[in-house]
Amino acid sequence: MEKLYLSDTRFDQLAIDKRILSSLQEAGFERCSRIQAETLPLALQGKDVTGQAQTGTGKTGAFLVAAFQRLLTEPLENPEAGSVRCLILAPTRELAIQIARDTEALGKNTGLRSVLVYGGAGYEKQRRQFEEAVDILIGTPGRIIDYWKQGVYHFKQTQVLVLDEADRMFDMGFIQDVRFLLRRLPAPEKRLSMLFSATLSQKVLELAYEHMNAPSSVQVETESVSADNIAEHVYFPANNEKIRLLIGLMRKLQPYRAIIFVNTKHNAEKIDNFLRTNAISAAMISGDVRQNKRERLLKEFGDGKYQALIATDVAARGLHIPDVSHVFNFDLPQLAEDYVHRIGRTARAGASGEAHSFACEDTAFYLPDIEEYTGKAIPVRSIDIELLPELNRPDASQRHDRPPHGRDNRHQGSRQRARTEVQASQRKVQELLPAENATVPATKRPRRRNRKPSQP
Ligand code: ADP
């Protein structure tokens, strides 16, 4: 896999402790990625940094190396029991798990002890990890606060703070928890603080200025929001063509490893049933799939047991799955940022990838905002008839989307609401479309506000 994003700066040209360098070398890290090359010289000198970079650019390596260096060169003079020397906050369990894995690998020869905590699993087991001294604590805000309140550890001597995916902390409603924790740390000038975010919005910058010491701001890849090495395509299927189109594309493109994004758990289950009934191996993760099962499915997907992973945005946040060749947006996301996060699952570490998005009757009107945000028009693909194969239908007993017995009166209110919402969104599509029929013709696209010229 060619690593196009690497810079000319080598790690051994920087003032980095030998123990870190040898761990980096064993992990195959020789040259810095751009975000690493730009943030490390600052952070290694003890300057606070805010970095704007998308997932897959090497942010984790950047903050870990700086954190290790600080911990190795400034040992605590009078360590108190329960001291956490470095606190790394991540918005999701999956991201926290990934950071913990990277900490093990990139810090292998440093002798620093790291511990991972996150909600939803192993309360007592995670707690027991603190019976020995901990250098680095990685986790999600809620569980970290929980143990802090019980006096399991404290942050009075914390030397390094990392906030990863800070914009997600806001999106996911964790910001009060984050502020609570930041107020328990030593003053900003007494610690090294690093904040990373895909977007440095006003609210993220306010947080940085309040809790960091005059941070330097580093931005990577601002000129193009989505990665240049992803071939993007958009299709305009009718709602009832989407499953057939998905399976038609899977059969035609034969993805090595695909992630299929959906907006609802209902769609995730429907696709899961259809793929399995049509001989495509798939796993599904939505917010309410239990943590242990989610981790198992993700590992199996990474090991190649399934060709496709079906995921909602929350379930897929911050995932690092290698070699994803194709991303399918079965539903276009409502937020343009989510589009960028989703397609960023492929083409990681400089590889190339493909993103195929369905602008259907319910989601086509998100397209103008997405294109405005990414600054480019997504090339339209027509839907040839061979992309709409006849499918085996899942038998009713397999389908999660039906109540098991008879009619489920409890959900009548929500069904009626859902129908009304669908009708409203169909009316909205009608307004956007030149055609009279709500079915979006394959070769037509909605009129766009402020349409930008396509880029070559
Ligand atoms: P981010 O934290 O920005 O999402 P990662 O740190 O996970 O990105 O990096 C993406 C992938 O690139 C990972 O597989 C990681 O191991 C690899 N990687 C990161 N930096 C380097 C480097 N300097 N040299 C080689 N591989 C790297």
Side-chain angles (χ1 to χ4, degrees):
M1 181 165 48
E2 202 187 352
K3 294 193 167 84
L4 301 171
Y5 71 112
L6 293 179
S7 72
D8 291 334
T9 312
R10 297 175 58 87
F11 287 102
D12 58 15
Q13 293 170 328
L14 301 170
I16 298 175
D17 187 283
K18 283 203 295 291
R19 288 163 285 183
I20 307 172
L21 284 177
S22 70
S23 317
L24 288 171
Q25 201 180 10
E26 285 173 34
F29 284 37
E30 280 177 29
R31 284 185 291 137
C32 296
S33 71
R34 277 181 56 204
I35 189 81
Q36 292 160 356
E38 293 191 33
T39 53
L40 275 175
L42 296 163
L44 289 170
Q45 284 176 36
K47 280 190 71 64
D48 284 5
V49 181
T50 56
Q52 176 175 16
Q54 292 145 42
T55 44
T57 52
K59 288 178 285 127
T60 311
F63 65 69
L64 285 178
V65 170
F68 296 153
Q69 181 71 17
R70 177 77 163 224
L71 298 183
L72 290 178
T73 51
E74 292 185 16
L76 276 186
E77 285 181 9
N78 299 306
E80 291 178 28
S83 281
V84 167
R85 300 182 63 200
C86 169
L87 173 64
I88 302 180
L89 292 175
T92 63
R93 294 176 286 208
E94 281 78 11
L95 184 57
I97 292 169
Q98 187 61 44
I99 295 170
R101 283 197 193 120
D102 289 353
T103 309
E104 289 292 317
L106 302 184
K108 192 172 156 218
N109 304 330
T110 60
L112 295 166
R113 180 161 182 264
S114 61
V115 156
L116 167 68
V117 306
Y118 52 82
Y123 193 84
E124 272 313 311
K125 194 170 160 209
Q126 291 186 23
R127 191 190 157 112
R128 279 200 298 276
Q129 302 175 103
F130 296 94
E131 286 164 8
E132 284 172 57
V134 167
D135 297 300
I136 302 171
L137 170 58
I138 303 152
T140 50
R143 182 63 67 94
I144 289 186
I145 292 181
D146 188 332
Y147 290 139
W148 178 87
K149 285 188 172 160
Q150 297 181 48
V152 173
Y153 43 68
H154 62 84
F155 303 119
K156 286 183 249 170
Q157 293 178 301
T158 298
Q159 297 161 285
V160 183
L161 164 75
V162 177
L163 280 176
D164 197 13
E165 301 209 351
D167 49 348
R168 295 275 154 205
M169 301 275 195
F170 282 93
D171 295 348
M172 298 178 72
F174 292 145
I175 204 60
Q176 293 312 331
D177 287 351
V178 171
R179 286 186 196 281
F180 177 94
L181 284 168
L182 296 185
R183 287 198 288 267
R184 266 80 201 161
L185 296 174
E189 56 283 2
K190 296 199 173 139
R191 54 176 151 92
L192 170 68
S193 306
M194 293 171 276
L195 174 151
F196 289 86
S197 189
T199 49
L200 289 179
S201 60
Q202 191 57 32
K203 55 191 181 184
V204 172
L205 288 175
E206 276 168 18
L207 182 77
Y209 285 109
E210 199 182 326
H211 294 281
M212 297 174 77
N213 182 20
S216 304
S217 184
V218 169
Q219 306 203 347
V220 166
E221 287 169 355
T222 41
E223 70 280 6
S224 146
V225 183
S226 39
D228 291 335
N229 44 352
I230 302 174
E232 295 170 65
H233 311 282
V234 65
Y235 305 78
F236 289 90
N239 282 355
N240 63 10
E241 293 172 338
K242 287 169 75 180
I243 287 271
R244 287 195 294 152
L245 178 61
L246 175 69
I247 293 182
L249 283 169
M250 292 280 293
R251 287 183 185 164
K252 181 173 173 203
L253 303 171
Q254 290 294 327
Y256 169 71
R257 192 170 288 163
I259 302 187
I260 301 162
F261 282 99
V262 289
N263 292 359
T264 61
K265 180 174 153 267
H266 174 85
N267 273 352
E269 289 171 347
K270 190 164 124 188
I271 297 172
D272 189 32
N273 287 332
F274 265 95
L275 291 187
R276 280 187 286 115
T277 314
N278 288 276
I280 295 175
S281 59
M284 177 192 75
I285 54 166
S286 64
D288 57 1
V289 171
R290 284 199 29 234
Q291 179 65 13
N292 292 349
K293 184 170 173 195
R294 237 200 291 187
E295 278 166 35
R296 176 172 55 78
L297 291 174
L298 286 172
K299 179 164 184 314
E300 289 173 349
F301 180 58
D303 292 344
K305 182 166 175 194
Y306 308 106
Q307 189 181 12
L309 177 76
I310 306 153
T312 55
D313 290 295
V314 171
R317 205 138 280 165
L319 291 187
H320 295 242
I321 298 163
D323 302 333
V324 173
S325 56
H326 293 69
V327 165
F328 293 94
N329 286 312
F330 186 83
D331 305 310
L332 272 184
Q334 192 170 358
L335 295 177
E337 290 92 330
D338 282 338
Y339 176 82
V340 173
H341 275 278
R342 288 178 179 191
I343 70 167
R345 305 293 100 201
T346 180
R348 293 171 75 79
S352 57
E354 293 182 25
H356 298 263
S357 301
F358 299 175
C360 62
E361 294 162 43
D362 293 338
T363 63
F365 45 88
Y366 302 142
L367 188 61
D369 283 347
I370 291 171
E371 294 190 333
E372 198 165 329
Y373 183 74
T374 59
K376 58 187 178 195
I378 307 172
V380 179
R381 282 276 184 96
S382 58
I383 303 174
D384 301 333
I385 193 72
E386 88 263 12
L387 286 179
L388 298 175
E390 285 308 318
L391 300 180
N392 297 325
R393 299 187 68 78
D395 90 51
S397 63
Q398 277 187 336
R399 291 168 61 176
H400 309 272
D401 56 334
R402 292 253 173 93
H405 303 293
R407 207 174 153 79
D408 186 349
N409 291 328
R410 284 171 308 158
H411 296 305
Q412 278 211 329
S414 58
R415 284 221 191 94
Q416 184 55 45
R417 262 200 310 284
R419 253 199 305 276
T420 315
E421 274 169 29
V422 168
Q423 280 159 2
S425 62
Q426 283 174 344
R427 272 200 302 280
K428 211 162 166 188
V429 172
Q430 290 269 20
E431 285 163 23
L432 283 162
L433 289 172
E436 294 104 53
N437 198 315
T439 303
V440 189
T443 50
K444 296 240 173 80
R445 56 190 341 189
R447 254 185 287 129
R448 282 195 254 122
R449 286 172 276 132
N450 307 326
R451 183 166 177 179
K452 294 200 173 169
S454 348
Q455 293 183 352

